[in-house]
Amino acid sequence: MFALKSLLLLVAIASANALSSTLQQVTANFGSNPTGVKMYQYRPTKLATPTPLIIAMHYCTGTAQAYFQGTSLAQLADQHGFIVVYPNAPTSGGCWDVASTATLTHNGGGDSLGIANMVRYAIANWGVDASRVFATGTSSGAMMTNVMMGAYPDLFAAGSLYSGVPYGCFAGPNAWNTQCATGQLIKTAQQWGDQVRSGYPGFTGTRPKVQFWHGTVDTTLYPQNFWEEIKQWTNVFGVSQTPTSNLTSNPQSGYSRASYGPNVQAILAQGVGHTVPEHETDTLDWFGLTNLTPGSSTPGSSTTAPVTTTIPVSTPSPTGATAAHWGQCGGIGWTGPTVCASPYTCQVSNAYFSQCL
Ligand SMILES: *[C@@H]1O[C@H](CO)[C@@H](O)[C@H](O)[C@H]1NC(C)=O
């Protein structure tokens, strides 16, 4: 009896997780991509028309494949008919460039330009609704979500980020910023807001609304970053730093959801470390996609069939090389050089990042 029940449960789980499609790499030239970010997409067999797009960005050590498997966005894409693009970070450590001036500048280059061009490509070729493009991510991917919203506010309608830091908090010559990560980079709301505005000077359009999640016992990206994000985005939207509402036990026990008008939402998770687990249906609600259903039209609503290949099993790792000054030389998941070019030595910043200093 027990065995039968277990079997039935397994069957139920298996069918609940069955997807209509697979993760595929987009090998078409999608535009300028100076750092070589790879583009993967999950396109359900039935799409809503026009089709919303979610850009889902992985954590350090992560991959497009891992984020595809580790979140339920693809299952939700089947239910609702949107496309998910999973960019894959070009460094072997799997962290996004959230520090360079290039990445923090509209059309300035860096990882952000490659991702922006994925969005532009999807709008131009797949029938994606330009007014319903969204960004989400975890940890480094959360930081990158803020980068995309700051540098490309013209492309995104909303963002939802899990355990990140404010836009520009990592700015500087190093890929990892310990001062920011440990919550010691404190700025005024005006300064944080100015930083966002500097990402795309002169932008006067509607900015993406932002929802961010953070755990109170995060020791990788300290929770002070949550409070700095509140300062930043309330300033960008010109609203008070005092919440208009703060719902406790929402969306679950230990969490509180503070709202600052319709465009900023800050969810604090008591006793949760790095990272806050994805709450995909909540994120979808923030994006306004909860009631979206796949249209009766075929996936051929796109004008160009996507060029796809199968997913590589592994990425080649560089061997025998030395890392340059400021370069990464270690950390969980790092497969690049671990020796620094003379006279620099490899110094540990944290479990995820060692650097030639
Ligand atoms: C919302 O309320 C909870 C519970 O009182 C509190 O811990 C949290 O700091 C509040 N959130 C904000 C952003 O003020």
Side-chain angles (χ1 to χ4, degrees), residues 226-227 230 243 246-248 256-258 260 266 268 270:
F226 172 80
W227 302 103
I230 290 173
N246 183 0
L247 308 173
T248 50
S256 57
R257 185 191 307 267
Y260 304 80
L268 190 61
Q270 291 293 336

Side-chain angles (χ1 to χ4, degrees), residues 274-301:
H274 198 71
T275 54
V276 176
E278 299 270 324
H279 286 63
E280 295 91 338
T281 54
D282 207 295
T283 287
L284 228 55
D285 198 32
W286 180 248
F287 293 165
L289 299 179
T290 305
N291 295 321
L292 184 77
T293 51
S296 54
S297 59
T298 60
S301 62

Side-chain angles (χ1 to χ4, degrees), residues 320-337:
T322 56
H325 191 202
W326 306 120
Q328 186 171 358
C329 53
I332 296 168
W334 175 250
T335 58

